[in-house]
Amino acid sequence: MKKLITGITLTFALAFMLPQAGSANVGINEKFGLPIVVYGGNLSDAEKESVAKELDVAGEAEVEEIEVTGQDLITYIKDGDSRARMYSSAKITRKDAGAGLVIEIVTPDNITQVTNEMYANAMLTAGIEDATVEVAAPKPVTGHSALVGIYKAYEVNGEQLDPERTDVANDELAVATEIADSGVEDAKVSELLTEIKKQIAEQDPATKEEVQKIVEEQLTKLQIELSPEDRQLLIDLMDRIRKLDIDFSKWSTQLEDLSKTIEDKIGTVVNDEGFWQSVKNFFNKLIDGIRGLVS
């Protein structure tokens, strides 16, 4: 379903898209440095060339190119496996404060689990804001390694990311894809995560019990049914987010804009349950076929 929705909607934009996005190349940004292209470390030479084309590397005045490997996983993720295979790649262009995040999966057929909104939510949790991020892969992969590559790009650019936040962000991506795999529509998963975060920002819960109440309220409001196991995963995740060193008041605008984007996307979906079930069945089979791949 994600691929079809991506194909019939405009490029996802979180917060305020720059009015000159897509305009002529203005050369090297001397304030933020070069765009950084992060290639999955397990790409072959031919695959790397294909990804570079998809990310329009040649169209940039100049870029910095690096690789993300399984070794980087253990830097940003507590239980990361250094033997993981890394294929999904990204180009990151930093923007001025207030520009927000613009996320585009340029090879939607090859990023099988992670959506634009899932990336955006996880990046906000990790502390990444104000950038244009394009994601690509040369073959079907889940898309998780692109997030680790984005972390690495920011540190190469001189940013210091909180390892606790990057670990929680990875956990968030895992929970989001787990819930989506259980049968909840991708857009509804992103809506659920965003609405819970908005309530955490507004209510400032002090205990896990208060977080659980917020989660339960949003599940009821959005009419989402989860297994007891997935429900507990979500509560545990949101309690971890509550404990992070985050100024939640600064999230309000970005979460509100993300919420509006998701609502607009849900509004474009054709209200035909039989049609969407056939689409979901197709992609469930595709995901089952590649579930053994770690990316």
Side-chain angles (χ1 to χ4, degrees):
M1 178 182 295
K2 168 168 68 68
K3 294 342 153 294
L4 190 54
I5 293 176
T6 301
I8 64 174
T9 53
L10 297 176
T11 300
F12 163 68
L14 168 61
F16 308 105
M17 287 186 66
L18 296 181
Q20 295 181 349
S23 61
N25 193 304
V26 295
I28 297 172
N29 187 323
E30 296 181 307
K31 180 177 181 181
F32 295 121
L34 303 174
I36 296 181
V37 178
V38 188
Y39 297 105
N42 293 103
L43 295 176
S44 67
D45 289 342
E47 289 172 335
K48 185 175 179 180
E49 183 178 344
S50 172
V51 166
K53 182 177 180 180
E54 295 288 355
L55 294 173
D56 192 24
V57 173
E60 300 289 347
E62 192 175 342
V63 299
E64 182 171 357
E65 297 175 287
I66 61 175
E67 286 189 349
V68 60
T69 68
Q71 190 63 35
D72 293 309
L73 277 175
I74 61 178
T75 299
Y76 303 107
I77 301 171
K78 290 178 180 178
D79 298 322
D81 184 353
S82 63
R83 300 167 299 173
R85 309 285 288 177
M86 314 289 276
Y87 293 102
S88 51
S89 307
K91 181 172 73 175
I92 301 93
T93 306
R94 295 176 63 198
K95 301 293 183 179
D96 287 311
L101 289 169
V102 177
I103 314 293
E104 181 182 7
I105 298 175
V106 299
T107 58
D109 289 340
N110 288 339
I111 303 295
T112 64
Q113 286 191 332
V114 186
T115 67
N116 292 332
E117 294 84 4
M118 290 179 189
Y119 279 125
N121 253 315
M123 289 171 66
L124 284 177
T125 298
I128 296 173
E129 306 173 21
D130 305 315
T132 295
V133 179
E134 298 162 79
V135 180
K139 55 190 174 185
V141 296
T142 60
H144 291 78
S145 69
L147 188 62
V148 178
I150 292 165
Y151 298 158
K152 185 172 183 178
Y154 263 72
E155 297 222 327
V156 166
N157 238 334
E159 297 280 349
Q160 279 296 115
L161 298 177
D162 181 345
E164 181 65 23
R165 289 185 66 167
T166 60
D167 186 64
V168 173
N170 183 74
D171 190 18
E172 178 176 343
L173 207 59
V175 171
T177 53
E178 172 71 22
I179 294 174
D181 281 351
S182 74
V184 182
E185 294 177 2
D186 295 329
K188 292 294 287 185
V189 174
S190 294
E191 183 181 27
L192 174 63
L193 295 176
T194 303
E195 294 304 313
I196 292 173
K197 285 181 179 179
K198 283 170 62 178
Q199 292 305 311
I200 289 176
E202 292 176 10
Q203 299 183 31
D204 190 23
T207 66
K208 188 171 185 176
E209 288 71 26
E210 292 176 357
V211 170
Q212 180 173 346
K213 181 180 178 183
I214 290 173
V215 170
E216 299 286 356
E217 287 174 348
Q218 293 307 309
L219 285 170
T220 300
K221 176 184 175 182
L222 298 175
Q223 298 181 324
I224 295 175
E225 292 290 337
L226 296 182
S227 69
E229 294 78 12
D230 285 348
R231 190 179 295 254
Q232 191 59 51
L233 282 175
L234 185 58
I235 293 170
D236 292 343
L237 166 67
M238 290 302 167
D239 192 51
R240 289 190 72 191
I241 289 177
R242 170 187 71 85
K243 295 176 182 177
L244 292 175
D245 183 18
I246 295 176
D247 182 353
F248 287 103
S249 64
K250 293 182 179 179
W251 273 19
S252 298
T253 299
Q254 294 180 86
L255 288 171
E256 192 62 44
D257 286 325
L258 177 55
S259 179
K260 181 62 168 59
T261 298
I262 296 168
E263 288 174 5
D264 290 345
K265 175 170 285 190
I266 291 174
T268 67
V269 179
V270 178
N271 188 22
D272 184 337
E273 294 183 6
F275 172 74
W276 285 121
Q277 186 59 49
S278 67
V279 174
K280 182 174 287 292
N281 290 342
F282 171 80
F283 282 110
N284 281 342
K285 290 179 181 178
L286 175 62
I287 290 170
D288 288 340
I290 64 165
R291 196 176 294 279
L293 294 175
V294 179
S295 56

